[in-house]
Amino acid sequence: MRSSIWLAAAVGSATTLALATIEAVGNKFFTKDGAQFFIKGIAYQLVPDDPLIDTEQCTRDATLMKTLGANTLRVYHVDADGDHDGCMSAFADAGIYLMIDMDTFSTYILAENLYWNQTQLDHYSKVMDAFQGYDNLLGLFVGNEIITTNNQSLAAPFIKAAVRDLKAYRNSKGYREIPIGYSAADIAELRPMLQNYLTCGGNASENVDFFGLNSYEWCDPATYQNSGYANLQADTADFPVPIFFSETGCIKPGPRLFQDQTAIFGPEMVNDWSGAIIYEWIQEANEYGLISYGPAVAATATGENIDGGYTRKGTPTPKSPDFTNLQSQWATITPTGVAKSAYDAKSVSTRECPKSTAGGWLVDGNVALPSLGATFTGSSYSAVPSATGTGTAAEPSSTKNAVSGSREVTGMAAGLASVMIVFTFWL
Ligand SMILES: *[C@@H]1O[C@H](CO)[C@@H](O)[C@H](O)[C@H]1NC(C)=O
Ligand SMILES: *[C@@H]1O[C@H](CO)[C@@H](O)[C@H](O)[C@H]1NC(C)=O
Ligand SMILES: *[C@@H]1O[C@H](CO)[C@@H](O)[C@H](O)[C@H]1NC(C)=O
């Protein structure tokens, strides 16, 4: 490893030193050289728009992340037009992969105003175009916590439609099989329906390549049994695709001990889960940070690199004891998993498409997916016998309605204050 990096640097070749690309096979991630890959990740969103265009900052952070033991970052918002070479290279040099959300503030799939159209597909595709060439791109999300209540389960076919179109786009461009998936809020009433639905029906062209769960159930001190993780595991045994925690790390009551890592990578869960992404790198108002770039300032303060009461750039200083607690947990965790050559992907189960229930999951079975350009007008989805049926999705209406929505910038599920963006647009 070291010597090959040194060699690549010595011959002064590519801007990005290659890490082995990662693929999803069965319910596991494997590097190109056949080793199973487990995520030890951090959520990384220093600024609202795109943290991956500041090479100097990425380089400083990458150095510290390496000592922390991280091998993956999740970034929620990027600017497809930005130059990402420097940051992607800095993270590759530190052995760090990236998982990136393709949606933007103006292109989220909105559960209360459902449509999936060419404008969204174009935006998501542009993000894929911008990042597909980096070997350390691990995966792409079509959405984060689009569904947060029972009745929003109607959005699920739209999530699958987005997956279908982005996978088709990826394949049409001849890109490598970059895993494309979804990051779900942890809604007890919808578990396991959503994770089953996104992997059901038997057509891989329409199913997620992985499922991420944002879960803050484990609050230290806790155990595998009393944390709720035993229930998560019960829904996940022999899952069809890789599943992992796309956000985790409860901060109440504190201090964070990150003992859930020993469960996720331990004998109960390690055969079915592919790791965890800890929320989050920067300390800000939600207080989930692992580092800070300086002391908090007044919320109204302005100045270079200051926004929302926090400095968002500079030398990262570990937050005590959280940083070292995570560091020592990860230092004891070195799962090897299974080699791809010894793994039988066919041994994982397929899932039934869940039936709808009154007041609960509202998508009845394997419904026909909305076509590109569809909006949703009904209050439930019924399975239609013909593959050409359109369910209750209709073509866009020309009626003009003002619609307001709000999304958490971070998508954090914990319900604590985080940066909220409120927007209004016309349809
Ligand atoms: C959906 O459920 C939420 C609470 O879970 C409720 O506030 C909202 O009114 C419901 N929306 C519809 C359209 O039924
Ligand atoms: C699988 O899904 C793709 C994309 O929707 C579709 O074109 C194809 O016909 C489906 N295959 C089968 C066997 O239904
Ligand atoms: C997609 O929907 C959004 C919101 O209604 C709209 O602004 C955009 O023009 C639509 N795109 C297309 C291609 O219809």
Side-chain angles (χ1 to χ4, degrees):
M1 182 68 166
R2 270 219 164 274
S3 59
S4 63
I5 283 176
W6 180 85
L7 190 68
V11 298
S13 60
T15 51
T16 300
L17 304 177
L19 280 180
T21 55
I22 290 177
E23 58 181 345
V25 178
N27 64 4
K28 305 192 188 309
F29 290 121
F30 292 99
T31 62
K32 195 173 53 185
D33 38 28
Q36 191 181 347
F37 182 80
F38 293 93
I39 294 168
K40 292 178 178 173
I42 307 286
Y44 187 68
Q45 192 77 45
L46 312 184
V47 291
D49 282 335
D50 188 350
L52 300 180
I53 52 175
D54 185 343
T55 304
E56 211 175 69
Q57 189 56 40
C58 290
T59 305
R60 281 191 289 256
D61 289 332
T63 303
L64 188 60
M65 287 165 177
K66 195 174 176 182
T67 73
L68 176 61
N71 65 15
T72 303
L73 296 183
R74 175 175 184 186
V75 175
Y76 295 83
H77 295 285
V78 293
D79 171 5
D81 293 324
D83 177 355
H84 303 102
D85 286 353
C87 280
M88 293 304 283
S89 168
F91 289 123
D93 290 353
I96 293 173
Y97 290 86
L98 273 291
M99 301 202 82
I100 293 173
D101 288 59
M102 289 181 284
D103 49 9
T104 64
F105 293 119
S106 58
T107 60
Y108 286 118
I109 296 171
L110 298 168
E112 304 293 345
N113 177 27
L114 277 171
Y115 59 85
W116 169 247
N117 73 22
Q118 189 72 48
T119 307
Q120 291 163 303
L121 178 57
D122 289 346
H123 271 94
Y124 294 29
S125 303
K126 257 184 93 175
V127 173
M128 188 189 297
D129 293 340
F131 284 91
Q132 57 81 25
Y134 301 114
D135 285 349
N136 59 330
L137 176 67
L138 164 50
L140 296 165
F141 295 96
V142 296
N144 179 56
E145 300 194 3
I146 293 166
I147 297 171
T148 57
T149 61
N150 277 356
N151 48 25
Q152 292 178 345
S153 55
L154 294 169
F158 283 80
I159 296 170
K160 247 171 135 158
V163 168
R164 172 199 63 203
D165 293 344
L166 270 306
K167 286 174 79 162
Y169 180 77
R170 176 195 69 193
N171 297 345
S172 76
K173 298 288 280 190
Y175 297 158
R176 69 183 164 89
E177 290 207 348
I178 302 156
I180 295 175
Y182 176 67
S183 172
D186 184 9
I187 312 293
E189 299 79 9
L190 293 185
R191 201 178 340 105
M193 288 81 99
L194 180 59
Q195 68 188 52
N196 288 352
Y197 175 74
L198 294 181
T199 54
C200 79
N203 188 342
S205 304
E206 298 180 337
N207 285 348
V208 290
D209 293 326
F210 63 81
F211 187 92
L213 180 69
N214 297 349
S215 174
Y216 293 82
E217 291 193 26
W218 182 303
C219 297
D220 294 310
T223 64
Y224 173 67
Q225 289 300 338
N226 74 17
S227 62
Y229 276 27
N231 293 335
L232 299 182
Q233 169 59 26
D235 293 336
T236 299
D238 293 327
F239 198 59
V241 298
I243 183 167
F244 57 94
F245 291 81
S246 42
E247 284 180 13
T248 189
C250 173
I251 57 172
K252 299 286 178 188
R256 297 166 105 181
L257 303 173
F258 300 103
Q259 286 174 339
D260 69 329
Q261 300 299 298
T262 61
I264 293 168
F265 293 100
E268 291 99 340
M269 300 176 77
V270 75
N271 291 325
D272 293 300
W273 296 79
S274 292
I277 294 173
I278 308 299
Y279 192 87
E280 67 168 329
W281 183 245
I282 184 177
Q283 172 79 351
E284 50 185 335
N286 61 44
E287 303 201 326
Y288 278 78
L290 293 167
I291 63 94
S292 67
Y293 297 112
V297 294
T300 50
T302 53
E304 208 186 346
N305 310 323
I306 291 176
D307 189 29
Y310 288 84
T311 306
R312 297 181 174 275
K313 178 181 166 98
T315 303
T317 304
K319 180 173 144 193
S320 181
D322 305 39
F323 187 95
T324 44
N325 285 352
L326 180 57
Q327 187 176 40
S328 38
Q329 286 293 355
W330 275 350
T332 65
I333 291 167
T334 49
T336 47
V338 60
K340 187 180 165 192
S341 55
Y343 175 60
D344 175 14
K346 294 198 183 66
S347 68
V348 298
S349 68
T350 56
R351 297 278 152 135
E352 289 281 305
C353 294
K355 297 266 172 253
S356 60
T357 56
W361 178 254
L362 298 176
V363 181
D364 196 25
N366 191 17
V367 303
L369 298 185
S371 50
L372 187 65
T375 55
F376 186 76
T377 54
S379 57
S380 70
Y381 264 103
S382 300
V384 286
S386 137
T388 56
T390 55
T392 40
E395 289 311 306
S397 117
S398 58
T399 323
K400 297 241 176 236
N401 293 314
V403 176
S404 302
S406 69
R407 292 293 304 189
E408 282 179 292
V409 171
T410 62
M412 190 188 60
L416 289 173
S418 67
V419 193
M420 297 287 287
I421 294 271
V422 177
F423 57 87
T424 300
F425 58 87
W426 294 86
L427 82 170

